[in-house]
Amino acid sequence: MKKIIFSLAIAAIALSLTGCAGEEDNIFEKSAAERLNESSDKYSARLEAQPNGWAMQYYPTLKDVSPAGSGYLILMDFNPDNSVRVAMDNRFSGNQYSTATSGWEVIKDNGPVLSFNTYNSCMHAFSDPEDIPWTSDNEQSEGCGGDYEFIIVDAPEDASYMMLKGKKRDTYNLLTPVEEGVDYEEYLADVKAFHNKMFSASAPVGNIIHFGPDSIYNMDDSNDGLPNIYPKGSDAIANESFNPFLITKRGNDYYIRFRDAFERDYLEGTLQELRYDPEQDMFIGTDNPEFNIQGYPVTEFFRDYANGKGDHQFNVSLSEDEMSPKFKTYIDNLYTDFTTMKGGKGNKPYGFVGLRYQWNVKNDSFQWLVRYTPGTATSTSVGYNYTFEMNGDKVAFGYTGPGVEANLKPGQTPASTNVYNALPAVQAIVSLFSQEFVVTNALTKFDVTRVKLTSVSDPDLWFTVTI
């Protein structure tokens, strides 16, 4: 009896297993191999779907130091014949436009994987195990350590974007379409120029990033795309935090997108991508407008820089497009007086060179300096002292008298006094500067080295200074 019961149980199990197998056939009508083939074809078609290819925001590794930690903009166009054209303009291409063609395919792994399956001098520059010649480190046998095979994480049917993940390094790399008719070389040059304009390598101060109205951070050293982001006013080293970014262009809009999203519990939406708003001259979060990047306040910089330690020279630009016609008349008069009126060495014309101004800490005074050639090839300067006071976005200069040169002999009149007394145009411009000016950025709020000073009493009187 027990044997009969046992046999019936085995039979029941066998029947249940047979039923499961039948159910699986109903769920998966195609084999795993067939499904992988279809998946490969589907994603290949989506890569080919953009007629002018893609802009890839590529991050070789998750490191926080350059060059492996920095991001690189790479353009790529996938063709049905399994060839791909790749282009870039960055340090790995000698900072010049470079393009290469190789093979590609979507291979079947644990999921669909985009593989650059033949050598491509652009794409494989980040994975070649060679020393990087422009760094001080020895990367032999390691190179930059980047990927050339990428897991396709997300690829919507409309081919509006694709998200790839490095097979070895686990970095997420976003692909966005390049518009039809856009030339790759011009696109890369345009983005590079915009990047350098917003985040200059020679910028004396960083930028300001807002995660909300009460959460303000410094964003320093952004030119290489790997900024140090730390709470404003805190120690930059003790609180350092790096998050690389890349800039792309879609239509007429520039976008900045960080490799890693910022997490802020008190704000809704993603804090990762921002669009540049030319009217407000700032980057604004695409998902949350309270997330934005601004230039360092020019009035704050002007005040702190001018009142800092050491002598700071500010060159006054003399190009006609960087001064008002009204201010230019004063420059023209200076030139006329210096080049026609005698009084220099050997009773010859002085010879006008230009203007500059500086904060002279030693004499505790702010000086406007006029440079001239007193009958020789060597230029010299005479200074005129002013008080300096910042009030909000305005600076007030108050004239106190000619500067006194060092090493004067007893009874000798300073050159600044002689020049002032001899040339009416010097008297005129010295008097002109003794007033209040509004301080603004000359070009963009992201560039504090070009400052525009506009007379409070006469808005038609303005000029640009370069720090």
Side-chain angles (χ1 to χ4, degrees), residues 180-193:
E180 288 189 69
V182 172
D183 179 81
Y184 275 17
E185 185 172 5
E186 292 176 359
Y187 176 98
L188 291 169
D190 183 2
V191 170
K192 177 186 279 191

Side-chain angles (χ1 to χ4, degrees), residues 148-169:
Y148 60 88
E149 291 189 328
F150 304 89
I151 301 168
I152 300 177
V153 177
D154 189 12
E157 188 174 352
D158 62 0
S160 56
Y161 72 90
M162 294 188 79
M163 182 64 75
L164 308 180
K165 183 179 180 181
K167 188 176 177 182
K168 292 188 302 182
R169 303 304 179 191

Side-chain angles (χ1 to χ4, degrees), residues 2 20 25 28 33 44 54 86 88 95 114 125 151 157 159 193 209 231 239 303 310 331 365 378 381 388-389 442 449:
K2 290 182 179 180
C20 289
D25 288 340
F28 301 110
S44 295
W54 305 81
V86 181
M88 65 186 189
N95 283 315
L114 169 61
I151 301 168
E157 188 174 352
I209 182 168
N239 297 281
R303 179 199 64 217
I331 301 299
S365 64
T378 304
S381 300
F388 171 92
E389 183 178 354
T449 65

Side-chain angles (χ1 to χ4, degrees), residues 54 85 187 227 234 253 280 297 309 323 329 341 348 367 457:
W54 305 81
R85 177 171 63 103
Y187 176 98
S234 68
D253 292 326
Q280 299 187 65
K309 295 180 179 179
M323 65 177 68
T329 61
M341 299 184 70
K348 296 180 180 179
Q367 288 189 332
S457 60

Side-chain angles (χ1 to χ4, degrees), residues 92 119-132 139-146 148:
F92 281 88
Y119 186 78
N120 186 301
S121 59
C122 289
M123 194 68 230
H124 288 87
F126 303 96
S127 56
D128 284 343
E130 303 292 339
D131 178 52
I132 303 172
E139 297 94 354
Q140 192 64 40
S141 77
E142 179 183 355
C144 190
Y148 60 88

Side-chain angles (χ1 to χ4, degrees), residues 318-320 323-334 461-462:
L318 297 182
S319 60
E320 293 186 21
M323 65 177 68
S324 67
K326 194 167 187 177
F327 182 78
K328 187 176 181 299
T329 61
Y330 287 86
I331 301 299
D332 292 341
N333 291 338
L334 276 176
L461 185 67
W462 59 265

